[in-house]
Amino acid sequence: MDLKIAVIPGDGIGVDVTAEAVKVIRAVGDVFGRRFEIETLPWSADHYLQTGVTIPPNGYAMLRDEFDAVFIGALGDPRVPDNRHARDILLGTRFELDLYVNYRPVKLLDARLCPLKDRTPSDVNFVVFRENTEGLYVNVGGRFKAGTDDEVAIQEEVNTYKGVHRIVKHAFEYARTRSASLSGERRPSRVCMADKSNAMTHGHALWQRVFKELAPRYPDIQPRHLYIDALTLLMVQDPSQFDVIVTNNLFGDIITDLGAALQGGLGLAASGNLHPGKTSMFEPVHGSAPPLAGKNVANPMGAMLSAALMLEYLGLTSEAAAIEGAVQAAVTAGQGTREIGGTLGTRETGDVIAAAIRK
Ligand code: IPM
Ligand code: MN
């Protein structure tokens, strides 16, 4: 059966890197005899400025009902100062498709890419599960007397038992499969939950409650709690102490940029927005970088690795591994864009990696 994939290149370098991600998806399709039906959707700042439509009224239902997965490049454009289109397309899809797991692996592919001294790939290899449907992102609140000296701005953080429970549970379940794959090491897998319950004594008390409730159900996994500020310190001092980190929406947003830095920059970081068992969405962690758009300089590897996460999610593990292997080989050989020390452009990086897959 053909797999149907919606591709939303979006804005800026999103367009550039998506073309290369599609190139490697086609390459593994040919090599493994898989047929992908790829439909490109024009939703972007350009489309919004031309039509006034960010996402059509049936857009979310269409993604959910007609596609097996969604791939997004990046969204954000200075011509849309309130970023309304990004909010509708990216955050809207997260909320409307209830993609509660934001899965962001942090994996160093080559020691030379790590900004920390003397670190090897075995020191930087963890995943972050970011709660993706509530927290401070729900946009509940308002502004009173906006624009005056008396302005009051309120942005509420929503934490629900259901929302916290399902993401923390997902982190433990994932850690369980991961400890199995690390069995040679004889070390239990570790789950660290990060919150700010020392200051946010209502909302984050709920995270504490849920974590304490779930941890004993996973006796094979080492639970740990850290306040978010301490976590950022330890991620930089010694990232090797982490296997799985679970945290809320905003903190997850922040620490995954830090994680991207540890693995060599935003150009390499991949992500999946998941609702296990349902149509899910995959995107590189980086933004649209308007000044770099169309210049053939953006690193397409984060987009390719996101495509690999998508294929893995769809059960195509060999296809996913082929993409990951080819990206790894290119990085090891120093083939890639300038910001990771290579000499290639976006398209040439795509060509090299697609050719490696086809070999
Ligand atoms: C991300 C991005 C988005 C987020 C922005 C574009 C709203 O930074 O996916 O990490 O904050 O979730
Ligand atoms: Mn972010």
Side-chain angles (χ1 to χ4, degrees), residues 97-118:
L97 273 61
D98 200 27
L99 306 176
Y100 65 92
V101 178
N102 197 323
Y103 169 43
R104 296 188 161 182
V106 177
K107 193 167 190 275
L108 177 64
L109 298 183
D110 192 295
R112 83 188 143 77
L113 297 177
C114 189
L116 306 178
K117 271 190 304 218
D118 307 324

Side-chain angles (χ1 to χ4, degrees), residues 104 130 253 256-257 285:
R104 296 188 161 182
R130 161 184 176 189
D253 177 49
T256 52
D257 266 35
V285 177

Side-chain angles (χ1 to χ4, degrees), residues 90-91 94 104 130 137 253 283 285:
L90 182 65
L91 301 183
R94 289 178 183 168
R104 296 188 161 182
R130 161 184 176 189
Y137 275 65
D253 177 49
E283 45 158 353
V285 177

